[in-house]
Amino acid sequence: MRKQTEPASAADLGRRDLLRAGAAGAAVAAAGLPRAAAAQRGGGRIVFANGSAYDTMDPHATFDVGRVAYRLNCYDSLLRWLDNPPKLEPWLAESYTVSEDGKRYTFKLREGVKFHDGTELTAEDVVYSMERILAVKKGAYPLFATLVEPGSTRAVGRYAVEFNLKAASAIFAATTHDIYVVNSALVKRNERNGDWGQEWIARNDAGSGSYVIRRFDPARGFLATRFDDHFLGPAGVAEIDFRYVAEVNSRVLGLIRGDFHGTDPYMPQDQIARLQADPNLNVMEAESTRLFYACIHNQRAPMTDVNFRKALCYAFDYDGWINDILGKSVVRNTHVIPNPMWGAPKDVAGYTYDIDKAKWHLSQVQVPLREIVVAGMVGYEQSMQAAALLQAGLTKAGIQSRLLNEPWPVVSNKMRDPEQMYDVLFLWRSTYYADPHNWAGELLHTNRHRGGNASYYSNPEVDRLLDAALATADQEKRAPLYEQVARISSEEAAGIYIHNTKWFGPFRKNVRGVRFCPIGDGQEMRWLSIA
Amino acid sequence: MRRVARKLAEDRAAMLGLGLIVLLVLVAIFAPWLATHPGDVTEFHTARRLSPPGPENWLGTDRMGSDIYSRLLFGARITITIAVTAIAIAVVIGVPMGLVAGYYEGIGSDFLMRVSDIFLAVPQIVLAIAIAQTLGPSIENVILALSATYWPFWARLVFAETRSMKNEPFVEAAIALGCSPLRVMVLHILPSISSSIIVRTTIGMGGTILTAATLGFLGLGPPPPTPEWGRTIAESREFLPMAWWYAAFPGLAIFLVVMGFNLLGDGLRDVLDPRLRRASQHGR
Amino acid sequence: MKTLVLIVNRLIWFFPTVLGLLAIVFFISHVIPADPAAFVAGENATPETIAAIRARLGLDRPLHIQFVRYIQSILEGEMGRSIYTGRPVAEDLLGRLPATLELTFVTIVVASVIGIPLGVVSALRRNSWLDHGLRVVTIAGLAIASFWFAILLQLLFSMRLGITPLSGRIEGWGPEPITGFYLVDALILWDLEILADALHHMVLPVATLALPAAATIVRFTRAGVLNALESNYVLYETAMGYPRRLVIWKYVLRNALIGTVTQIGLIFGILLAGAVVVEAVFDWPGLGLFAVNSILNSDYNAVMGFTLIAGTMFIVVNLVVDIVQGMIDPRETR
C-alpha cells in the first residue's frame, strides 16, 4: 500500500500528528460507490456452494478463508482490501491519521452508516468491537494481541476512534480489514453472564454489511438478503445463499447443472479442468498470493538439524507436482513470500527434486533418525496428495514416514501446540493483509509461536529483521528486510516452499461483476449481478 | 465330518464362496509375483496418473499414477490380516467368556452377559468408529476396534448354547461322574457347540471385512500408502465421474470377498446347524 | 402373566444397559488425543484461553468426576454442548433426528414392500430357480459395502444419466420446519412441489439402505413361511381338505408375517449403522452425518450424544418388539 500525505481532515487531531490518510475521499470511487449506486436494484439470487461448514455467524470467531463469506458480506470493517493486486480502501472509515511515533491511529468514520436494525454505527461500536476481539480471543485476535491493550481504544466524539498501540506497527492499518464492527447496543442486550453475546451472535445478525442474515443452519449454511440502506447503496443481487456442500463432486455437478452459481476452488485440478470445459461456465483465473508449503516442525528432532530439513526439501518432486498433478496451472515459489508480492526476492534458487542430494544431507544429520509424521488435511485433496508425494520421495531417500490426514479443526488445534504439531504439514498460507509480513512475519517470527508460526522456527536475526521492518513505515526500506528474511529461511530450510496458488473462480456465465481480491477470495457478493 | 464335506460339496453356492476365499488367500500370498507393478505400493508415476484400464495398467491408475491392479493385490493382504486377527481375538475373548458365563449361573454370569448386551446395543460400526478414532489410524488399531466390538457375538452365542447343553444328559452324566468344570466345558460342551461357532465365525468374517473397509473409507483405517481397499474408494470420489475404474474395482474386490464368506457361511449353516437358519445374523 | 414378567424384566434391565452404554462411550471419548478445549477456543486462541475453557467445561477435573457430572446433567435433560457448533447437543441431535427417521421409515416401508412378497414366493416355491436366485441375490445384498453401492448409484444415475440429485435432502432451504419431516410438512402445507422434490432426493439413499434391509426381510420371511408350512397345525388344516390358497392366506402368511415384523429391531439396527455411511456419502443432514463429522472433529459431547441416542433408540425398539412379540405370539402366552 502506498501511503500519501494529505491535509488533516479531522479537526481534533494534534498538530504534531503526521497525517497519512489512506487514499481518503477520492478513493471512495474506487471502492465502488458510483458503480453500486448506478446498478438498479436487481433481483435474483446467488447460490454459492462452499466446501467448508459455517459453524458460527460470529464475525470475531473465525479468521479462515473457508468461512469468510458471512464476515465479508454481512459485516463491515474500518478499511477493506479490494481488487487484485489488493488495494486498502476506505470503508466505514473515510480516512485515518497516524501519530509521528507511529503508535496512535485515528480513524474518522463515515457519518450516517446504519446497522441492519436502523441504529447508527458510531465510534462506540468500533471500540466495543475491538474490545470484543481482545476479550473473546478468537479469529483475528493474534493480529492484535501483542499490539492493542484492552481498554486502550477510545471514541473521540461520535465519529472518530483512536487506537493506542503498544509499539509502532507498519501493518496495523492493513489489518483493520479484520476489525468487523458489530452493533454494540444489540449485542449488549443479548449478553449472558458476560459472554460478550457469543452465544447469541453465533446464530444472529448484528452487522451493517451489504446483506442481512436471514437463516442459518450449521448443516446447511446461511441465507442472507440485501440490506437496502447500506452506506454504499444496495447490492446488485437480492439474495445470497451460501450452502455447505462437503463433496467436491456435488459442488462440481451442481454448478454444471445450474443449481449453484459459484463454488470455491478447493478441488483437484482435474475437476477445475472439467469445469473449464463446460460451455455454461466461466472459470475466472487470477494470479493470487497464496503460498502452498509444508510446515516443518523446527523444534522437534530430527528436524532440529538443518541437514535433515534440507533432505526433506530435496525429497519433494516439485516438477511432478506442478506439471502432472496440477497440470502446469501454477508456478514454483521457492521461498516464503509469494512471488507477486513486494519484498519477494528474485534471486532465491530454492530446492529441486534431487534424491542424491537428499541422501547426502541425510548422511550429515547429527541427531538420531526416526519415523516422521507427514500430515495433510481431510477435504483438501491437494494437501493430502502433496503429503503422499513427499512420502514417496522420503522412502526413496531412506527416510521413514507415516501419513496422517486430519480435518482442519483438528489440524488448527495441533498447530497451536508445539507438543501436538505434526512433523511436517502441507497447507496454504492465504493473504489476510497484503503485506510481506503476512507470510514472513506471521510464519517465522518467534512471537508468533502458538499463533501463526506453527513451524516453531526461531532465529534472532530473522526476528530482528522483522521487528525493524515493522518499525519502519517506508516500503522502500522495508522490502530489502523481507527479502533477507526470505533468503535466510530458504537457506535454513525452515519449510518446504512449493508454489504460489492461482485462483480459479468457477461461476455460471450469467454471473457478472465478480471482483476477486486475494483477501476474501472473491467472495464479496455486493458487486455481483445476474444477467 | 466326511458327511459334512460331501453335503457341502453339493451346494454349488457354498463351493463358489469357498472358491472366492481360496482365491483371496492365494492372491494375498502371491501378490508380489502376480502384480504387474509390485513397486507401486509406494511408488508414484505422476505422468501416468488417472489412466484408464489398458495393456500397461490392467485396471487403470490412481491419482498418483500407481497401478490399481497391483495395489488391489497387496490390499488383499491387509484385508486378510485385519479380518483374521480381529476375529481370532474376538473368538479368544468371546468363547471362554460365553462358556464360563453359561456354565456357572449367578450374578457374575448375568453381569458378563449384560456387558456384552451393552456392546451389542450400539451398532458395531458406531462403536468401532469411536474406538478407531480414539486410537488413531493404523492397522493394529483397526484390529483392536473390531475385536473390541465383535467379541460379544461369540460370547452371546456360546452362552446360549452352553446353557442349553448343560441340561443334556451327556453333560449331566459327565458332571455326575466328577469331571472338573474345566474338563466338562472344554471336552464335552465345546466340541458339541463348535459347529455353531464355525458358522458364526465364517459369517463374522464377512461382516468384519465390511466394517474394516468402512473404517478405511471414513479415513480411520491404516494410513496411506497402505493400499487398503476402503480408503482407495474414498480417495477416488474426488476424481469421479472421470476415473470410474478408480472406485469400481476396489469395491468389486470387497464385494467378492465378503460374498465368498457369506456364501460359505450360509452353506455351512445349512449343513451344520439347521437351527440357526432362522437367525440370519450378518453382524453388520 | 408371563408377558408381565417379561415386560418388567426388560424394563429393569433398560436403565443399567443405558448407563453401561454411557460409561463405555464416555471413557472411549475421553482418551481422544485431540484437545476438545482447544476446539471450543477456536482458531488462533492462546493457551491461556484454552486453559480457561478447559476449566469452564470441567475438562480439567478427574475423569470419574466428569462422568458423574455428565450423568447428572443427562438426568436433567442436558447432554452438554457440542464443541463444534457451541450449541446444546440435545438441540443439535433433535434437529437432525427427523432427517434420519424419515429416511429410516421410508426405507423400512420400501424394504418390506419388496422383501415380504419375495420371501413368501421364495418359500412357496422352495428349491425352484427363483428360490436359488433369490438366495444368491440376498447374500449379495448383504455383501455389498453400502458406501460403494451408494457411489455406484451416484455415478450412474446422478453423474452419467443425470436423473437423480447427487446429494442433499431437498433443493434449496426447504420449508420452515413444522415437524421436520419434509414429506409430512409438504403434506401439511399441501405443497406437492416440495413433496416431489423431497421424494426425488430420497431415491438413491433409500435404494442404498433398502438393499441390505430387504435382503434380511426376504430371508426372515422365507424362513418364517417355511416354518409355518411345516408346522403340524398347517399340515392338519391341509389334511382336512381346506383349499391350499386359503390355508396359505389365512394361517401361513399371518404367522410368518408376525415373525418378520418382530425382526424390525434387527433391521432398525442395520439401518442405523448404514445411515452413518450413507448419510456421509449423500450429504444427508441427519444423525449419521452428524456423527461422522463429530467423530472427525473429536467433538466428544456430540459423539456421546449420538451414541446415547442411537443406542437408546435401538434398545427401546428392541424392548417394544420383545413386548409386542410376547403379547401376539400364541406360543408365548399359551
Side-chain angles (χ1 to χ4, degrees), chain A residues 45 53 55 61-64 67 136-142 192 199 203 215-223 241-247 249-250 253 257 259 378 407-410 412-414 416 420 450-452, chain C residues 33-35 38-47 49-50 53 81 84-88 91-92 96 154 158-159 162-167 169-177 182 280-281 283 285 293 296-298:
Chain A
R45 184 165 72 123
D55 48 330
T62 63
F63 190 50
D64 57 346
R67 289 173 287 182
V136 302
K137 295 189 169 63
K138 293 178 182 175
Y141 170 70
R192 235 193 272 168
E199 174 147 7
R203 303 181 62 73
R215 286 179 78 171
F216 168 59
D217 177 350
R220 300 198 65 83
F222 72 94
L223 180 75
D241 184 353
F242 278 82
R243 303 238 190 99
Y244 166 48
V245 184
E247 290 304 325
N249 254 308
S250 305
L253 202 77
R257 286 164 33 144
D259 301 341
V378 173
W408 165 244
V410 176
S412 65
N413 287 338
K414 293 194 174 174
R416 273 195 300 270
Q420 291 189 50
R450 295 176 183 270
Chain C
D35 185 348
F39 195 77
V40 187
E43 309 159 68
N44 303 320
T46 57
T49 322
I50 295 172
I53 287 175
R81 260 165 206 286
Y84 184 63
T85 62
R87 301 200 300 141
E91 217 175 276
D92 272 346
R96 303 235 182 184
Q154 278 185 330
S158 304
M159 299 189 202
I163 53 175
T164 51
L166 191 66
S167 61
R169 213 182 149 198
I170 200 158
E171 181 50 43
W173 277 79
E176 284 282 354
Y182 283 169
V281 174
D283 251 338
N293 287 335
L296 290 177
N297 288 326
S298 304

Side-chain angles (χ1 to χ4, degrees), chain A residues 86-239:
Chain A
K87 287 185 286 294
L88 188 60
E89 304 285 3
W91 201 256
L92 288 175
E94 286 177 334
S95 63
Y96 69 96
T97 56
V98 189
S99 66
E100 211 159 334
D101 62 1
K103 286 183 175 176
R104 186 171 52 190
Y105 280 70
T106 309
F107 288 81
K108 185 179 177 303
L109 297 183
R110 201 184 286 272
E111 292 181 24
V113 174
K114 292 268 193 299
F115 279 114
H116 296 155
D117 67 355
T119 53
E120 193 186 15
L121 187 153
T122 67
E124 281 306 328
D125 296 301
V126 180
V127 173
Y128 178 82
S129 301
M130 187 71 244
E131 297 303 331
R132 190 169 184 277
I133 291 171
L134 296 174
V136 302
K137 295 189 169 63
K138 293 178 182 175
Y141 170 70
L143 291 179
F144 308 107
T146 55
L147 218 51
V148 184
E149 191 72 35
S152 67
T153 309
R154 54 183 203 92
V156 183
R158 214 170 147 73
Y159 301 110
V161 190
E162 192 179 276
F163 293 88
N164 296 290
L165 309 184
K166 285 193 253 183
S169 167
I171 56 165
F172 178 70
T175 59
T176 58
H177 174 101
D178 277 301
I179 303 178
Y180 292 100
V181 179
V182 298
N183 184 336
S184 62
L186 184 59
V187 176
K188 279 179 187 161
R189 275 204 299 278
N190 291 289
E191 278 181 2
R192 235 193 272 168
N193 313 322
D195 74 341
W196 293 86
Q198 285 192 73
E199 174 147 7
W200 178 81
I201 206 173
R203 303 181 62 73
N204 289 283
D205 178 288
S208 61
S210 307
Y211 290 91
V212 188
I213 301 166
R214 295 296 178 195
R215 286 179 78 171
F216 168 59
D217 177 350
R220 300 198 65 83
F222 72 94
L223 180 75
T225 54
R226 177 168 52 206
F227 177 46
D228 287 332
D229 291 334
H230 192 263
F231 69 86
L232 287 178
V237 174
E239 197 172 73

